Amino acid sequence: MSKLLGLLVLVLLAGCTGVGVKSRLASLDKAINGYAEALRWNRYDDAQVFHMGRDGKRITLDEHAMQDIRVTGYSVRDTVLDEEGTTAEVQAEFKYFITNRGALQTKVVPQTWWYDKDSSRWLLDSGLPDFKAVSAPKGQAERKDPRIREIPRE
């Protein structure tokens, strides 16, 4: 009988832990959706509240660098949650325009989201990616924007 009671307690404890992780996972989805919405609507003050290092220091966003960037989409390609359910490695896909270039760009960025138990919130342990950096395809040298041509000086 005591073995059965012990087994029942273990099952209940495991179930409670699973519920806690499920609850945190649901709150991660909510945080990511709120973050995505803030970026899509250029509400960088709202997006700023998600950026904080594990040391408790706020990671400031450079709004000036975002002046000619228009994020049109933020989606999650993959999420890996650690065993404790307190850290999530997220592969985030940003779709955006650089307004003076006019072409839709896509950038996949690894992000680390972490759960702050004190505030019961998920936070992002990095700043915004460098949207203006243009990387060359694999095996090719960095190339200049084809719309810009150099005019030789005489």
Side-chain angles (χ1 to χ4, degrees):
M1 183 67 173
S2 66
K3 286 184 182 180
L4 183 60
L5 182 60
L7 182 60
L8 181 62
V9 168
L10 283 175
V11 168
L12 287 174
L13 286 175
C16 290
T17 303
V19 169
V21 171
K22 286 179 186 177
S23 172
R24 267 193 239 128
L25 194 54
S27 69
L28 173 62
D29 285 340
K30 185 177 178 181
I32 287 173
N33 289 335
Y35 180 69
E37 182 179 319
L39 289 178
R40 281 193 311 270
W41 290 101
N42 290 344
R43 295 189 331 244
Y44 299 114
D45 288 340
D46 293 343
Q48 175 70 59
V49 299
F50 292 98
H51 292 269
M52 182 179 290
R54 291 177 188 258
D55 59 1
K57 292 184 181 174
R58 207 40 79 200
I59 298 170
T60 56
L61 303 181
D62 184 1
E63 289 185 44
H64 180 70
M66 295 296 290
Q67 280 182 334
D68 57 346
I69 304 293
R70 177 75 174 105
V71 177
T72 60
Y74 173 94
S75 59
V76 174
R77 284 185 160 190
D78 189 29
T79 303
V80 177
L81 198 62
D82 70 349
E83 290 180 18
E84 295 84 33
T86 57
T87 302
E89 297 299 329
V90 173
Q91 292 295 317
E93 179 180 275
F94 290 86
K95 290 187 184 284
Y96 62 98
F97 282 99
I98 299 176
T99 56
N100 61 0
R101 293 186 192 161
L104 182 65
Q105 312 258 340
T106 301
K107 185 176 282 239
V108 177
V109 178
Q111 296 181 321
T112 301
W113 287 80
W114 63 282
Y115 187 75
D116 181 23
K117 292 177 183 175
D118 295 336
S119 64
S120 299
R121 297 183 50 217
W122 283 94
L123 300 166
L124 186 53
D125 194 13
S126 63
L128 289 170
D130 183 4
F131 290 112
K132 294 181 183 177
V134 178
S135 57
K138 288 184 180 178
Q140 293 183 9
E142 194 74 28
R143 60 189 171 109
K144 295 181 181 177
D145 188 329
R147 293 167 293 161
I148 299 173
R149 63 187 175 105
E150 291 182 23
I151 300 173
R153 293 183 183 220
E154 296 179 27

